[in-house]
Amino acid sequence: DAGITQSPRHKVTETGTPVTLRCHQTENHRYMYWYRQDPGHGLRLIHYSYGVKDTDKGEVSDGYSVSRSKTEDFLLTLESATSSQTSVYFCAISVQGPYEQYFGPGTRLTVT
Amino acid sequence: EDKVVQSPLSLVVHEGDTVTLNCSYEVTNFRSLLWYKQEKKAPTFLFMLTSSGIEKKSGRLSSILDKKELFSILNITATQTGDSAVYLCAVPTQGGSEKLVFGKGTKLTVNP
């Protein structure tokens, strides 16, 4: 157990509303990631962080922003949710490295 | 662009069968290849293969890496219904920062 939690676990929201998803880890790992998973597309990287206040874009970053003000928390924000952002969102951390990532339980987001 | 292709996309077998899942990759600077298992929740880490560790085995699961031909296989012998899952393959992308690019996965169904 890599000590990763995500909140909320499920959320239904309306188009145009802002949404923030939280990823929390308990073991001070440097690297944290946000992925989305959709049928036919697999896991795709949205944003990642390599330290406090150090973040960068992944392959599907449009419409998303992130923040990391503390080592243990990595926030994903949808400024104005759209139906195309309906997905399952996974947070991950690199544990033993290099590249060995462990995933949180996921957040199922539905945008109506 | 770094790429991972998995085949087949889906597979249905009977308990006791042996299965082979395939993962081919194109990456600028190969460092490792990872296998994950995903049941109806978050992906869980299975194996990491590197240039210095091209074979891994854990119980009925084993994996090999062919760096020359740029592929890996995951073998599962004496399959059980609990092996039913999506199996994901991933490689780190170029540029470091411990980013992974994932294949779309192989959905394995093991029938009793």
Side-chain angles (χ1 to χ4, degrees):
Chain A
D1 182 3
I4 312 168
T5 57
Q6 293 183 231
S7 59
R9 295 293 312 280
H10 302 271
K11 186 169 182 68
V12 180
T13 192
E14 293 184 350
T15 297
T17 60
V19 176
T20 295
L21 308 183
R22 180 182 183 236
C23 177
H24 179 78
Q25 57 145 330
T26 58
E27 300 183 19
N28 291 322
H29 295 291
R30 180 182 175 192
Y31 290 90
M32 299 184 75
Y33 308 82
W34 277 108
Y35 292 90
R36 60 178 289 175
Q37 187 172 40
D38 306 287
H41 290 280
L43 278 163
R44 293 180 292 174
L45 182 66
I46 306 171
H47 282 279
Y48 66 99
S49 170
Y50 46 97
V52 173
K53 299 191 189 303
D54 292 324
T55 65
D56 205 350
K57 297 178 180 179
E59 62 178 299
V60 289
S61 58
D62 287 348
Y64 301 94
S65 62
V66 290
S67 65
R68 192 168 178 201
S69 58
K70 299 185 289 185
T71 299
E72 58 265 36
D73 288 325
F74 192 30
L75 303 181
L76 177 71
T77 297
L78 291 64
E79 300 290 346
S80 177
T82 67
S83 59
S84 65
Q85 294 176 311
T86 292
S87 187
V88 178
Y89 291 86
F90 288 104
C91 174
I93 59 175
S94 287
V95 179
Q96 298 177 16
Y99 318 117
E100 189 175 322
Q101 294 183 13
Y102 287 78
F103 287 80
T107 294
R108 183 173 295 276
L109 176 67
T110 302
V111 183
T112 60
Chain B
E1 181 181 334
D2 297 337
K3 187 167 64 172
V4 175
V5 178
Q6 295 186 244
S7 63
L9 290 181
S10 66
L11 189 57
V12 180
V13 301
H14 292 288
E15 268 192 317
D17 289 350
T18 293
V19 298
T20 299
L21 310 183
N22 302 294
C23 174
S24 64
Y25 61 90
E26 294 176 22
V27 63
T28 303
N29 181 21
F30 177 82
R31 285 162 288 183
S32 62
L33 183 143
L34 298 92
W35 284 98
Y36 287 83
K37 177 183 181 181
Q38 186 175 23
E39 298 171 86
K40 294 183 180 181
K41 47 186 179 176
T44 55
F45 175 78
L46 292 175
F47 298 120
M48 184 169 69
L49 301 160
T50 66
S51 299
S52 58
I54 61 172
E55 288 191 52
K56 290 287 177 74
K57 184 175 172 62
S58 177
R60 296 178 295 103
L61 276 67
S62 63
S63 183
I64 62 170
L65 174 70
D66 187 326
K67 275 194 66 181
K68 182 179 178 183
E69 300 298 331
L70 307 183
F71 76 88
S72 175
I73 62 172
L74 177 67
N75 277 320
I76 308 175
T77 59
T79 52
Q80 303 170 358
T81 56
D83 295 325
S84 295
V86 174
Y87 290 84
L88 299 167
C89 175
V91 295
T93 63
Q94 63 178 358
S97 298
E98 302 193 14
K99 292 187 292 182
L100 295 176
V101 61
F102 284 83
K104 294 182 180 179
T106 293
K107 182 178 181 181
L108 174 65
T109 302
V110 181
N111 290 324

